[in-house]
Structures are given as C-alpha cells and as structure tokens.
Amino acid sequence: MRQQVGMYLLNLLDADYFASYVWDGPRVGFLHRVAINMSEDNLTHYEAYFQYHDPITPKLQRRKQATAVSQIMPHSALKQTEFFNEFLSVDGLTYGLNFHAHDGVNNIGDLRIWRSRKRNDFTKRDIEIVNALGNVFTNGMKIAKSKREVIDELKTDLESETKHSLAMNPDFLVREYHLTSREVDVCMALIQGLSDKEIARRYSVSFTTVRTHIKHLFEKLHVSGRTQLIHKVLTH
C-alpha cells in the first residue's frame, strides 16, 4: 500500500524520491522501509546512523499534518548539516515534504517525498494535497496495523502449540514436501519470524537467493504467502 501511494505522490507532485517507514516505539527507531528511486546502501546507512543524527524528522514526526522541511528548517541551514551533505545529497534529495500518520498519540507510518536540486521547493498547494491524501493513508495504516497484530498473534499461538514437535524435528519437511536442506533452513527461519534480510545474513547468502528459496517454498507447499506457509507447516 505504501509503495502504491509513493508512486502516486511522485507523479502527482512532480517529485523524484519517496521513502516511508513505520515508527517502532519500543526499539525507538524507524523500521519496515519502502523506497522509490533511493539507494539501498544509503538508506541502510540512514537506518544505522543518520536517523539518530537527524535534525529534521523528529520535528516533522511530531506534527500531525503535512509539512515541508523548509517550514521547520531553512534550506540554507539544512545544507550546512552533516545530515544533508552525507545522507540527503548522496541520492540528490534537496527539497522535502513529510506526512506522519498517527493513531491517537502513536506514530504508525510516514510519507517522505523529496525533489532534486533541479526543481523548486514544495508549495502551499502541494502541502494541502498531501494533507488531503494523508487522511486516507492514515486510515489505511490503521487497518494494516490491526491486520498485522492478528497475524502476529496467530503466528505466536501456532509456534507455541508446536514448538516441541515441529521446531525440534524438521525432517518431515523433507519427507512431506521434498524440500532441499537449504529450503528447510529458510522455511524454519520464516516460522521464526525472520525477515528476508535476516535470513540472508544468517546463512551468508544474497537477498535474491533467499527470495528464490521462498518462491520455491510457496510452489512446493502450494501457498501464496508467509502466513499460509506458517499455518500449513505448523498444522500439518
């Protein structure tokens, strides 16, 4: 949903770059990245370092309305910061506009739209457009959040019920579904709730290789997603 919203906003606002995160209060950080036209390495650098040395986003995050970056920090001042010179300018981000969705006091997701130096800053009309769309985005994020909580609860219950039988003895995966040893590893990691990147790091393989293994798992188990896979394996 965030990816689709991002593409729509880039076209609507004649912008160049988009990113979106979900705020994780317990971890005190932005997670679950979605991005368009931005370097993955640069965004990884943001997540590891720059989000904790960010002079603008904490201020934007507290606002419950669309806000241009220049409204909370003049562009001339932003250009003097490490954040601009070592993060934003790496991909060419120059003029920004943010919207942070809230469910009560909780920040549940954001929209970060940027233009390159070749364009002009966002106008009052641009801000009004994002504000109008922001209400729809907020409702969508609330629905997604509630669905995710249900999925997490289901996964936890299923893991708890079968942890002594399945988790300790994955041999049945080979017998029942003719999985390779690496596919068994990836399947077990999915059941444990690991992300694709976490699985890649665990087994020292590429992100693309992990996605290929997951595709094969879906085909062999005749499922269309992770939740179905987890349910089928744990309730075999």
Side-chain angles (χ1 to χ4, degrees):
M1 187 265 287
R2 289 183 290 143
Q3 189 84 15
Q4 292 174 340
V5 170
M7 291 297 298
Y8 181 72
L9 286 171
L10 291 185
N11 291 328
L12 182 66
L13 300 174
D14 197 23
D16 304 287
Y17 313 98
F18 173 80
S20 175
Y21 285 92
V22 177
W23 176 253
D24 189 311
R27 298 186 188 181
V28 194
F30 291 105
L31 303 175
H32 311 300
R33 173 217 310 167
V34 169
I36 301 171
N37 297 334
M38 296 185 66
S39 160
E40 183 172 338
D41 288 343
N42 198 32
L43 286 168
T44 299
H45 195 192
Y46 170 80
E47 291 154 16
Y49 175 79
F50 276 110
Q51 70 165 313
Y52 306 110
H53 301 80
D54 182 339
I56 56 174
T57 306
K59 297 175 183 178
L60 294 164
Q61 185 184 13
R62 290 192 289 269
R63 298 174 68 102
K64 296 185 178 182
Q65 58 186 354
T67 305
V69 170
S70 57
Q71 289 180 273
I72 56 102
M73 177 178 284
H75 185 63
S76 57
L78 179 64
K79 288 178 65 176
Q80 304 303 313
T81 65
E82 174 191 40
F83 185 74
F84 180 86
N85 289 291
E86 296 189 23
F87 169 61
L88 294 177
S89 65
V90 170
D91 279 333
L93 284 67
T94 305
Y95 303 108
L97 172 60
N98 278 199
F99 177 86
H100 291 261
H102 289 78
D103 185 3
V105 298
N106 297 316
N107 180 203
I108 57 174
D110 59 48
L111 303 170
R112 309 181 190 194
I113 309 107
W114 288 82
R115 287 175 175 162
S116 70
R117 66 178 67 89
K118 297 178 181 180
R119 302 187 190 275
N120 296 319
D121 198 358
F122 292 96
T123 66
K124 181 179 179 181
R125 178 59 176 164
D126 294 328
I127 295 171
E128 291 173 349
I129 289 171
V130 175
N131 262 329
L133 295 175
N135 293 328
V136 178
F137 173 73
T138 299
N139 290 333
M141 290 301 293
K142 288 179 180 179
I143 293 170
K145 180 174 178 288
S146 64
K147 287 183 178 179
R148 181 63 190 175
E149 289 171 349
V150 171
I151 291 171
D152 288 343
E153 184 177 351
L154 171 63
K155 184 176 71 172
T156 299
D157 290 345
L158 290 171
E159 288 177 345
S160 177
E161 290 172 4
T162 61
K163 64 180 179 181
H164 295 300
S165 57
L166 168 72
M168 301 302 175
N169 182 23
D171 292 344
F172 88 96
L173 292 171
V174 177
R175 297 193 305 270
E176 293 291 326
Y177 304 113
H178 309 291
L179 303 187
T180 66
S181 59
R182 181 58 81 200
E183 287 169 350
V184 170
D185 291 338
V186 173
C187 185
M188 299 302 290
L190 290 175
I191 292 171
Q192 293 168 19
L194 272 64
S195 68
D196 294 358
K197 289 184 179 179
E198 289 170 332
I199 296 171
R201 286 195 294 268
R202 172 180 284 189
Y203 297 111
S204 300
V205 297
S206 70
F207 177 80
T208 302
T209 298
V210 172
R211 296 305 298 269
T212 299
H213 286 314
I214 293 174
K215 178 176 179 290
H216 291 163
L217 285 171
F218 289 173
E219 291 171 350
K220 289 184 177 182
L221 273 69
H222 303 292
V223 297
S224 60
R226 293 170 184 249
T227 304
Q228 288 184 13
L229 181 145
I230 292 169
H231 185 272
K232 185 167 186 175
V233 171
L234 294 181
T235 59
H236 70 284

